Structure formats: structure tokens, C-alpha cells
Amino acid sequence: MSELDTHQDPHANDAAPYSGGDPYADYRAGDFPFTELVDLADRRLGAGVVAANDEFFAERENLLVRERAVFDPERFGHKGKIMDGWETRRRRGADADHVFPAPEDHDWAIVRLGAPGVVRGIVVDTAHFRGNYPQKVSVQAAAVEGTPSPAELLDAKWEELVPPTPVRGHAANGFAIDVERRFTHVRLCQHPDGGVARLRVHGEVVPDPEWLELLGTLDLVSVLNGGTYEDASDRFYSSPTQIILPGTSRKMDDGWENRRRRVRGTNDWVRFRLAAQGAVRAVEIDTAYLKGNSAGWIALQGRNGESGEWFEVIPRTRLQPDTPHRFKLPAQAVVTHVRLDAFPDGGVARMRLHGTLTEQGAADLRARYTALGG
């Protein structure tokens, strides 16, 4: 009897060997609703892979690359095939009589989330790892404030989000998470070894209220501060979440762009929820890199509370392409939600809502932070 589990086909989740042409032609994608939420492990938010026990074939940092993994069948290095992902060496058993690794053997990589929060879903992407993907994966999470070292993280209290679960090769493997806690780090484990191309950790940002109160004036809609994209009329070219990412846009698709609108009397729009109730005093709208496809005009509305009436914050205003725009509000706007309208269509790279949390907003934020283990 082999040391492998003979009760099931250990190669049942393999993809077919690459036979030429488009390497994504037989990629097994997935439709996971939680991917509409922000990726807490986005490098643009400050995420990083802080440690891994092994990265012999391919570096751990590849896990968080924003672009999808690429495959070059002719690319080899001194250690073997160069893969665009994190790949560990083949594990071996203890001796000649036990050639397979022990059941508990596994490899791991620890990821610092760019924005701590509640994890709603995880995608473990094994693109191009057809026969060298892990047999199973598991994911744990921890809440460790500050800037812990890898050694300190290894001693942290880890909570299981995904138990050891079989995954498919050359596929997007999605896992919905139902754990109401705020986490700062996740640990991806491969059982017993193998390769993973990309890791995405989707969820809701939960900022530290003490830090926001120390800042005073802040961007109330920023992802880093707990702002959330809720809905939009169109997401054809890119996610509206990118409008509220930190930093400036780096290229045309690093923002929100919709398809060309052909129905007269209509327009595109996107709605956001602020971190908590805030008083907005100034607004920035940036159309960087959007030259022949920026929104022609915008308007901004706000409301206070889920059932509050929408009111005008910025009237319909002409935009210039590839240009930052600053708007000083004549009076502060106390809001929990905003809706940005684009007329008739087009793109916006970034939006900033500068202001302060109200007393009620700060209290609500502290209550949620405490309830989630902060």
C-alpha cells in the first residue's frame, strides 16, 4: 500500500499539460461575489509577503502581483522552470522507508494585509501550476498590531479561516469566509508543497479609530480609512474601488472607466459608503491618464444615513482630461454616503473627500472596532 491516500485519485484536480497556444485557454475561472470587495492584500494598500519557509523555485512576492500570472514555456533558470508565482521544492519523507512527507508537513507564507479588516473571501489562484500545485491549501489569520517581525508572527495566535482543502491546478480556487473578526495578517499553507500563482484576500477595511482621530483631517472615503464601494451603473473596464485607492493613478486602467453610453438622458454613477459619518470640507477629482475618455462633467451628491435624502454637494461641473480638480465646499457636508455622477459617461481616476469624523462617526467606528476584536 502506498503512503499516498489510495481512496481517491490524487491527480483528479490536475489540469492538462500545456500543449501550446494561449495558456489561459483551459484556465478554470470562478465567479465569486466577494471579489467585488477590496483586496486587503493589495500591494497598493501596503500589503507584503513578510516571510515564507521555502521559495526555492519561485519568490513569495509574486503572490501579490496585481497582474495575472504569465507563462513562458521556454523560460528556465539554474533551479529549473521559472514560474510566475510562489513555488516551493518537493518535500521528501524522513528516510528510504518513508519517502513521502508526513501528513502534517506543509509550506507556508505570511502576508501582511495592507489594510486590516474583516475577510469575506479568499482566492488562491494556481494559474499555470498544472501538475505542481499543492494537493490542499489552508489559510489562517491573526491580529497583531504594530510592525511585528516574522518571528513574532510565528508565535501569534492564528485562527483558521480555511481548513486544509483540496484545490484545482491552473484554476481560481475561491473560499467564502464567515468570521466576524478584524485581522492584520494571513498565512497561506500548501499541503504538502507546490506552487500558487496569486493570492487575493477580499473583505471590508476596519481602520484603527485612534489613528484616524490623531490624524484629524483625513480622506473620509479612502479605502485605507474604511471607505467602501457599494454600487455602480457600469464596471465594464475597471472596478470603481480603484477611485478610492491611495496614491495617484499610474495608467489609464488604474481608475474607474465605463463603456460608452448611448442612451440619451442617462448617465453613469458610482456610490460609496464612508468609513463613518463625517463632515466633508473639500473634494478632489482626478482624471489622470484619462485623456479622450474622461468624464465630461461630474456632480456629487451626499446623504446622511441609510435612509437619508440625497442632497447636492457639488453641482454639475465640467472636467478637464488628465487633470486634478479641487473643490472648496461653501459649507461642510455631513454625510455617510456619496454618489459621484459622470455625464454622460467616461472615467475618473481618483476621488478624495477631505474632512473630519463627527462625534457620532467616531463613536460608531470605535464601537465596530471593539466588536471585531480591535
Side-chain angles (χ1 to χ4, degrees), residues 233-303:
S233 59
D234 190 289
R235 299 175 288 272
F236 190 82
Y237 287 112
S238 52
S239 169
T241 293
Q242 298 191 136
I243 298 178
I244 57 174
L245 289 178
T248 56
S249 175
R250 298 180 180 180
K251 52 183 179 176
M252 190 178 74
D253 66 349
D254 188 10
W256 171 52
E257 184 189 359
N258 42 62
R259 76 191 88 188
R260 300 188 187 210
R261 184 166 284 270
R262 304 303 191 190
V263 180
R264 292 183 179 274
T266 66
N267 68 279
D268 284 307
W269 55 268
V270 56
R271 187 177 73 244
F272 296 98
R273 184 179 73 246
L274 277 60
Q277 185 189 69
V280 182
R281 296 194 297 268
V283 177
E284 289 185 73
I285 304 291
D286 191 359
T287 57
Y289 296 99
L290 297 158
K291 298 182 178 181
N293 54 346
S294 67
W297 293 261
I298 60 93
L300 186 68
Q301 300 178 67
R303 76 180 183 198

Coordinates of all heavy atoms in Angstrom, one line a residue, residues 233-303:
S233 N -23.3 52.0 -11.8 CA -24.1 51.8 -13.0 C -23.3 50.9 -14.0 O -23.9 50.2 -14.8 CB -24.4 53.1 -13.7 OG -23.2 53.8 -14.1
D234 N -22.0 51.0 -14.0 CA -21.2 50.2 -15.0 C -19.8 50.0 -14.5 O -19.2 50.8 -13.9 CB -21.1 51.1 -16.3 CG -20.5 50.4 -17.5 OD1 -19.3 50.1 -17.5 OD2 -21.3 50.1 -18.4
R235 N -19.3 48.8 -14.7 CA -18.0 48.4 -14.3 C -17.3 47.7 -15.4 O -16.5 46.8 -15.2 CB -18.1 47.4 -13.1 CG -18.7 48.0 -11.8 CD -18.9 47.0 -10.7 NE -20.0 46.0 -11.1 CZ -21.2 46.1 -10.8 NH1 -21.6 47.2 -10.2 NH2 -22.1 45.2 -11.1
F236 N -17.5 48.1 -16.6 CA -17.1 47.4 -17.8 C -15.6 47.2 -17.9 O -15.1 46.2 -18.1 CB -17.6 48.1 -19.1 CG -17.4 47.3 -20.3 CD1 -18.3 46.2 -20.7 CD2 -16.3 47.5 -21.2 CE1 -18.1 45.5 -21.8 CE2 -16.1 46.7 -22.3 CZ -17.0 45.7 -22.6
Y237 N -14.8 48.3 -17.7 CA -13.4 48.3 -17.9 C -12.6 48.1 -16.6 O -11.5 47.5 -16.6 CB -12.9 49.6 -18.6 CG -13.3 49.6 -20.1 CD1 -14.2 50.6 -20.5 CD2 -12.7 48.8 -21.0 CE1 -14.5 50.7 -21.9 CE2 -13.0 48.9 -22.3 CZ -13.9 49.8 -22.8 OH -14.3 49.9 -24.1
S238 N -13.1 48.6 -15.5 CA -12.3 48.5 -14.3 C -13.2 48.7 -13.1 O -14.3 49.3 -13.2 CB -11.2 49.5 -14.3 OG -11.7 50.8 -14.5
S239 N -12.7 48.3 -11.9 CA -13.5 48.4 -10.7 C -13.6 49.8 -10.1 O -12.6 50.5 -10.0 CB -12.9 47.5 -9.6 OG -13.5 47.7 -8.4
P240 N -14.8 50.3 -9.7 CA -14.9 51.6 -9.1 C -14.1 51.7 -7.8 O -13.8 52.8 -7.4 CB -16.4 51.8 -8.9 CG -17.0 50.8 -9.8 CD -16.1 49.7 -10.0
T241 N -13.8 50.6 -7.2 CA -13.0 50.7 -6.0 C -11.7 51.4 -6.2 O -11.1 52.0 -5.3 CB -12.7 49.2 -5.4 OG1 -13.9 48.6 -5.0 CG2 -11.7 49.3 -4.3
Q242 N -11.2 51.4 -7.4 CA -9.9 52.0 -7.7 C -9.9 53.5 -7.5 O -8.9 54.1 -7.3 CB -9.4 51.6 -9.1 CG -9.2 50.1 -9.2 CD -8.4 49.8 -10.5 OE1 -7.5 48.9 -10.5 NE2 -8.8 50.3 -11.6
I243 N -11.1 54.1 -7.6 CA -11.2 55.6 -7.4 C -10.8 56.0 -6.0 O -10.3 57.1 -5.8 CB -12.7 56.0 -7.6 CG1 -13.2 55.7 -9.0 CG2 -12.8 57.5 -7.3 CD1 -14.6 56.1 -9.2
I244 N -11.0 55.1 -5.0 CA -10.7 55.5 -3.6 C -9.4 54.8 -3.1 O -9.2 54.7 -1.9 CB -11.9 55.2 -2.7 CG1 -12.3 53.7 -2.8 CG2 -13.1 56.1 -3.1 CD1 -13.4 53.4 -1.8
L245 N -8.6 54.3 -4.0 CA -7.3 53.8 -3.5 C -6.3 54.9 -3.2 O -6.5 56.0 -3.6 CB -6.7 52.9 -4.7 CG -7.3 51.6 -5.0 CD1 -6.6 50.9 -6.2 CD2 -7.3 50.6 -3.8
P246 N -5.3 54.6 -2.3 CA -4.3 55.6 -2.0 C -3.4 55.9 -3.2 O -3.4 55.1 -4.2 CB -3.6 55.0 -0.9 CG -3.7 53.5 -1.1 CD -5.1 53.3 -1.6
G247 N -2.7 57.0 -3.1 CA -1.8 57.3 -4.2 C -2.5 57.9 -5.4 O -3.7 58.1 -5.5
T248 N -1.6 58.1 -6.5 CA -2.2 58.6 -7.7 C -2.2 57.5 -8.8 O -1.5 56.5 -8.7 CB -1.3 59.7 -8.3 OG1 0.1 59.3 -8.4 CG2 -1.3 60.9 -7.3
S249 N -3.1 57.7 -9.7 CA -3.2 56.7 -10.8 C -1.9 56.6 -11.6 O -1.2 57.6 -11.8 CB -4.4 57.1 -11.7 OG -4.5 56.2 -12.8
R250 N -1.6 55.4 -12.0 CA -0.3 55.2 -12.7 C -0.5 54.9 -14.2 O 0.4 55.0 -15.0 CB 0.5 54.0 -12.1 CG 0.9 54.2 -10.7 CD 1.6 53.0 -10.1 NE 2.0 53.2 -8.7 CZ 2.7 52.3 -8.0 NH1 3.0 51.2 -8.6 NH2 3.0 52.6 -6.8
K251 N -1.7 54.6 -14.6 CA -2.0 54.3 -16.0 C -3.5 54.4 -16.2 O -4.3 54.5 -15.2 CB -1.5 53.0 -16.5 CG -1.8 51.8 -15.6 CD -1.2 50.5 -16.2 CE -1.6 49.4 -15.3 NZ -1.0 48.1 -15.8
M252 N -4.0 54.3 -17.4 CA -5.4 54.6 -17.7 C -6.3 53.6 -17.0 O -7.4 54.0 -16.6 CB -5.6 54.5 -19.2 CG -7.0 55.0 -19.7 SD -7.3 54.9 -21.4 CE -7.5 53.2 -21.7
D253 N -6.0 52.3 -16.8 CA -6.9 51.4 -16.2 C -6.8 51.4 -14.7 O -7.4 50.6 -14.1 CB -6.7 50.0 -16.8 CG -5.3 49.4 -16.4 OD1 -4.5 50.1 -15.9 OD2 -5.1 48.2 -16.6
D254 N -6.0 52.3 -14.1 CA -5.9 52.4 -12.7 C -6.9 53.4 -12.1 O -6.6 54.3 -11.4 CB -4.5 52.8 -12.3 CG -4.2 52.7 -10.8 OD1 -5.0 52.2 -10.1 OD2 -3.1 53.2 -10.4
G255 N -8.2 53.2 -12.5 CA -9.2 54.1 -12.0 C -10.6 53.4 -12.4 O -10.6 52.2 -12.5
W256 N -11.6 54.2 -12.5 CA -12.9 53.7 -12.9 C -13.2 54.2 -14.3 O -13.3 55.4 -14.6 CB -14.0 54.1 -12.0 CG -15.4 53.8 -12.4 CD1 -15.9 52.6 -12.8 CD2 -16.5 54.7 -12.5 NE1 -17.2 52.7 -13.1 CE2 -17.6 54.0 -12.9 CE3 -16.7 56.1 -12.2 CZ2 -18.9 54.5 -13.1 CZ3 -17.9 56.6 -12.4 CH2 -19.0 55.9 -12.8
E257 N -13.4 53.3 -15.3 CA -13.9 53.7 -16.6 C -15.0 52.8 -17.0 O -15.0 51.6 -16.9 CB -12.7 53.5 -17.6 CG -13.1 54.0 -19.0 CD -12.1 53.7 -20.1 OE1 -11.0 53.1 -19.8 OE2 -12.3 54.0 -21.3
N258 N -16.1 53.4 -17.5 CA -17.2 52.7 -18.0 C -17.3 52.6 -19.5 O -16.5 53.3 -20.2 CB -18.5 53.3 -17.4 CG -18.4 54.8 -17.5 OD1 -18.3 55.4 -18.6 ND2 -18.4 55.5 -16.3
R259 N -18.2 51.8 -20.1 CA -18.3 51.7 -21.5 C -19.0 53.0 -22.1 O -19.5 53.8 -21.3 CB -19.1 50.5 -21.9 CG -20.6 50.6 -21.7 CD -21.2 49.2 -21.8 NE -21.2 48.6 -20.5 CZ -21.6 47.3 -20.4 NH1 -22.0 46.6 -21.4 NH2 -21.5 46.7 -19.2
R260 N -19.0 53.1 -23.4 CA -19.6 54.3 -24.0 C -21.1 54.2 -23.9 O -21.8 53.3 -24.2 CB -19.2 54.4 -25.4 CG -17.7 54.6 -25.6 CD -17.3 54.9 -27.0 NE -15.8 54.8 -27.2 CZ -15.1 55.5 -28.0 NH1 -15.8 56.4 -28.9 NH2 -13.8 55.4 -28.1
R261 N -21.7 55.3 -23.3 CA -23.2 55.3 -23.1 C -23.9 55.9 -24.3 O -23.5 56.9 -24.9 CB -23.5 56.2 -21.8 CG -25.0 56.2 -21.4 CD -25.1 56.8 -20.1 NE -24.7 55.8 -19.0 CZ -25.6 55.0 -18.5 NH1 -26.8 54.9 -18.9 NH2 -25.2 54.1 -17.6
R262 N -24.9 55.2 -24.7 CA -25.6 55.5 -26.0 C -27.1 56.0 -25.8 O -27.7 56.4 -26.7 CB -25.6 54.3 -26.9 CG -24.2 53.8 -27.3 CD -23.3 54.8 -27.9 NE -22.1 54.2 -28.4 CZ -21.0 54.9 -28.8 NH1 -21.0 56.3 -28.7 NH2 -19.9 54.3 -29.3
V263 N -27.6 55.9 -24.5 CA -29.0 56.2 -24.3 C -29.0 57.6 -23.7 O -28.5 57.9 -22.7 CB -29.6 55.2 -23.2 CG1 -31.0 55.6 -23.0 CG2 -29.5 53.8 -23.7
R264 N -29.6 58.5 -24.5 CA -29.7 59.9 -24.1 C -30.6 60.1 -22.9 O -31.5 59.4 -22.7 CB -30.3 60.8 -25.3 CG -29.4 60.9 -26.5 CD -29.9 61.7 -27.6 NE -29.0 61.8 -28.7 CZ -28.0 62.7 -28.8 NH1 -27.8 63.6 -27.8 NH2 -27.1 62.7 -29.8
G265 N -30.2 61.1 -22.1 CA -31.0 61.3 -20.9 C -30.5 60.5 -19.7 O -31.2 60.5 -18.6
T266 N -29.5 59.7 -19.9 CA -29.0 58.8 -18.8 C -27.5 59.2 -18.5 O -26.9 59.9 -19.3 CB -29.1 57.3 -19.1 OG1 -28.3 57.0 -20.2 CG2 -30.6 57.0 -19.4
N267 N -27.0 58.7 -17.4 CA -25.6 58.9 -17.1 C -25.1 57.8 -16.2 O -25.8 57.0 -15.6 CB -25.4 60.3 -16.4 CG -26.0 60.3 -15.0 OD1 -27.2 60.5 -14.9 ND2 -25.1 60.1 -14.0
D268 N -23.8 57.7 -16.1 CA -23.1 56.7 -15.2 C -22.9 57.3 -13.8 O -22.8 58.5 -13.6 CB -21.8 56.2 -15.8 CG -22.0 55.3 -16.9 OD1 -22.7 54.3 -16.7 OD2 -21.5 55.5 -18.0
W269 N -22.9 56.4 -12.8 CA -22.7 56.8 -11.4 C -22.0 55.7 -10.6 O -22.0 54.6 -11.0 CB -24.1 57.2 -10.8 CG -25.1 56.0 -11.0 CD1 -26.0 55.8 -12.0 CD2 -25.2 54.9 -10.1 NE1 -26.7 54.7 -11.8 CE2 -26.3 54.1 -10.6 CE3 -24.6 54.5 -8.9 CZ2 -26.7 52.9 -10.0 CZ3 -25.0 53.4 -8.2 CH2 -26.1 52.6 -8.8
V270 N -21.5 56.1 -9.5 CA -20.9 55.2 -8.5 C -21.2 55.7 -7.1 O -21.2 56.9 -6.9 CB -19.4 55.0 -8.8 CG1 -18.7 56.3 -8.7 CG2 -18.8 54.0 -7.8
R271 N -21.5 54.8 -6.2 CA -21.9 55.1 -4.9 C -20.9 54.5 -3.9 O -20.5 53.3 -4.0 CB -23.3 54.6 -4.5 CG -23.8 55.1 -3.2 CD -25.2 54.6 -2.9 NE -25.3 53.2 -2.6 CZ -25.9 52.3 -3.4 NH1 -26.5 52.7 -4.5 NH2 -26.0 51.0 -3.0
F272 N -20.5 55.3 -2.9 CA -19.6 54.9 -1.8 C -20.1 55.1 -0.4 O -20.9 56.0 -0.2 CB -18.2 55.7 -1.9 CG -17.5 55.4 -3.2 CD1 -17.6 56.3 -4.3 CD2 -16.7 54.3 -3.4 CE1 -16.9 56.1 -5.4 CE2 -16.0 54.1 -4.5 CZ -16.1 55.0 -5.6
R273 N -19.7 54.3 0.5 CA -20.0 54.5 1.9 C -18.7 54.9 2.6 O -17.7 54.3 2.4 CB -20.5 53.2 2.6 CG -20.9 53.3 4.0 CD -21.5 52.0 4.6 NE -20.4 51.1 4.9 CZ -20.3 49.9 4.2 NH1 -21.1 49.6 3.3 NH2 -19.3 49.1 4.5
L274 N -18.8 56.0 3.4 CA -17.7 56.5 4.1 C -17.3 55.5 5.3 O -18.2 54.7 5.7 CB -17.9 57.9 4.6 CG -17.7 59.1 3.7 CD1 -18.6 59.0 2.5 CD2 -17.9 60.4 4.4
A275 N -16.2 55.7 5.8 CA -15.8 54.9 7.0 C -16.8 55.0 8.1 O -17.1 54.1 8.8 CB -14.4 55.3 7.5
A276 N -17.3 56.2 8.3 CA -18.3 56.6 9.3 C -18.8 58.0 9.0 O -18.3 58.6 8.0 CB -17.7 56.5 10.7
Q277 N -19.8 58.4 9.7 CA -20.3 59.8 9.4 C -19.1 60.8 9.5 O -18.4 60.8 10.5 CB -21.4 60.1 10.5 CG -22.1 61.4 10.2 CD -23.0 61.9 11.3 OE1 -22.5 62.2 12.4 NE2 -24.3 61.8 11.1
G278 N -19.1 61.7 8.5 CA -18.0 62.7 8.5 C -18.5 64.0 8.0 O -19.5 64.1 7.3
A279 N -17.7 65.0 8.2 CA -18.0 66.4 7.7 C -17.0 66.7 6.7 O -15.8 66.9 6.9 CB -17.9 67.4 8.9
V280 N -17.4 66.7 5.4 CA -16.6 66.9 4.3 C -16.4 68.4 4.0 O -17.4 69.1 3.9 CB -17.1 66.2 3.0 CG1 -16.2 66.4 1.8 CG2 -17.3 64.8 3.3
R281 N -15.2 68.9 3.8 CA -14.9 70.3 3.6 C -14.3 70.6 2.2 O -14.4 71.7 1.7 CB -14.0 70.9 4.7 CG -14.6 70.8 6.1 CD -13.8 71.7 7.1 NE -12.4 71.2 7.2 CZ -12.0 70.3 8.1 NH1 -12.9 69.8 9.0 NH2 -10.8 69.9 8.2
A282 N -13.7 69.6 1.6 CA -13.1 69.8 0.3 C -13.1 68.5 -0.4 O -13.0 67.4 0.2 CB -11.6 70.3 0.5
V283 N -13.1 68.6 -1.8 CA -13.2 67.4 -2.6 C -12.1 67.5 -3.7 O -11.9 68.6 -4.3 CB -14.6 67.2 -3.2 CG1 -14.6 66.0 -4.2 CG2 -15.6 67.1 -2.2
E284 N -11.5 66.3 -4.0 CA -10.6 66.3 -5.2 C -11.1 65.2 -6.2 O -11.5 64.1 -5.7 CB -9.2 65.9 -4.7 CG -8.4 66.9 -4.0 CD -7.0 66.5 -3.7 OE1 -6.2 66.5 -4.6 OE2 -6.7 66.1 -2.5
I285 N -11.1 65.6 -7.4 CA -11.5 64.7 -8.5 C -10.3 64.7 -9.5 O -10.0 65.7 -10.0 CB -12.8 65.1 -9.2 CG1 -14.0 65.2 -8.2 CG2 -13.1 64.1 -10.3 CD1 -14.4 63.8 -7.7
D286 N -9.7 63.5 -9.7 CA -8.6 63.4 -10.6 C -8.9 62.6 -11.8 O -9.4 61.5 -11.7 CB -7.4 62.8 -9.8 CG -6.1 62.9 -10.6 OD1 -6.0 63.5 -11.7 OD2 -5.0 62.5 -10.0
T287 N -8.6 63.1 -13.0 CA -8.8 62.4 -14.3 C -7.4 61.9 -14.9 O -7.3 61.8 -16.1 CB -9.6 63.2 -15.3 OG1 -8.9 64.4 -15.5 CG2 -11.0 63.5 -14.8
A288 N -6.4 61.7 -14.1 CA -5.1 61.3 -14.6 C -5.1 60.2 -15.6 O -5.8 59.2 -15.3 CB -4.2 61.0 -13.4
Y289 N -4.4 60.3 -16.7 CA -4.3 59.3 -17.8 C -5.5 59.1 -18.6 O -5.5 58.4 -19.5 CB -3.7 58.0 -17.2 CG -2.4 58.1 -16.7 CD1 -2.2 58.2 -15.3 CD2 -1.2 58.1 -17.5 CE1 -0.9 58.4 -14.8 CE2 0.0 58.3 -17.0 CZ 0.2 58.4 -15.6 OH 1.5 58.5 -15.1
L290 N -6.6 59.7 -18.2 CA -7.9 59.6 -19.0 C -7.9 60.9 -19.8 O -8.3 62.0 -19.4 CB -9.1 59.6 -18.0 CG -9.1 58.3 -17.1 CD1 -9.9 58.5 -15.9 CD2 -9.5 57.1 -17.9
K291 N -7.6 60.7 -21.1 CA -7.5 61.9 -22.0 C -8.6 62.0 -23.0 O -9.3 63.0 -23.0 CB -6.1 61.7 -22.7 CG -4.9 61.8 -21.8 CD -3.6 61.7 -22.5 CE -2.4 61.8 -21.5 NZ -1.1 61.7 -22.2
G292 N -8.9 61.0 -23.7 CA -10.0 61.0 -24.7 C -11.3 60.3 -24.1 O -12.3 60.1 -24.8
N293 N -11.2 59.9 -22.9 CA -12.2 59.1 -22.3 C -12.6 59.5 -20.8 O -13.2 58.7 -20.1 CB -11.9 57.6 -22.3 CG -10.5 57.3 -21.6 OD1 -9.7 58.3 -21.4 ND2 -10.2 56.1 -21.4
S294 N -12.2 60.7 -20.4 CA -12.6 61.1 -19.1 C -14.0 61.6 -19.1 O -14.6 61.8 -20.1 CB -11.7 62.3 -18.6 OG -12.0 63.4 -19.4
A295 N -14.6 61.6 -17.9 CA -16.0 62.1 -17.8 C -16.0 63.5 -18.3 O -15.1 64.3 -18.0 CB -16.5 62.0 -16.3
G296 N -17.1 63.9 -19.0 CA -17.2 65.3 -19.5 C -17.6 66.2 -18.3 O -17.0 67.3 -18.2
W297 N -18.5 65.8 -17.5 CA -19.0 66.6 -16.3 C -19.2 65.6 -15.2 O -19.4 64.4 -15.4 CB -20.3 67.3 -16.6 CG -20.3 68.3 -17.6 CD1 -20.2 69.7 -17.4 CD2 -20.3 68.2 -19.1 NE1 -20.2 70.4 -18.6 CE2 -20.3 69.5 -19.6 CE3 -20.5 67.1 -19.9 CZ2 -20.3 69.7 -21.0 CZ3 -20.5 67.3 -21.3 CH2 -20.4 68.6 -21.8
I298 N -19.1 66.1 -14.0 CA -19.4 65.3 -12.8 C -20.3 66.1 -11.9 O -20.4 67.3 -12.0 CB -18.2 64.9 -12.0 CG1 -17.4 66.0 -11.5 CG2 -17.3 63.9 -12.8 CD1 -17.7 66.5 -10.1
A299 N -21.0 65.4 -11.0 CA -21.8 66.0 -9.9 C -21.6 65.1 -8.7 O -21.5 63.9 -8.9 CB -23.2 66.2 -10.3
L300 N -21.6 65.6 -7.5 CA -21.5 64.8 -6.3 C -22.7 65.1 -5.4 O -23.0 66.2 -5.1 CB -20.2 65.2 -5.6 CG -19.8 64.3 -4.4 CD1 -19.5 62.9 -4.8 CD2 -18.7 64.9 -3.6
Q301 N -23.3 64.0 -5.0 CA -24.4 64.1 -4.0 C -24.0 63.4 -2.7 O -23.1 62.5 -2.7 CB -25.7 63.4 -4.6 CG -26.2 64.0 -5.8 CD -27.4 63.3 -6.3 OE1 -28.5 63.3 -5.7 NE2 -27.3 62.6 -7.5
G302 N -24.6 63.7 -1.6 CA -24.4 63.0 -0.4 C -25.7 62.8 0.4 O -26.7 63.4 0.1
R303 N -25.6 61.9 1.3 CA -26.7 61.6 2.2 C -26.2 61.2 3.6 O -25.1 60.7 3.7 CB -27.7 60.6 1.7 CG -27.2 59.1 1.8 CD -28.2 58.2 1.3 NE -27.8 56.8 1.5 CZ -28.2 55.7 0.8 NH1 -29.2 55.9 -0.1 NH2 -27.8 54.5 1.1

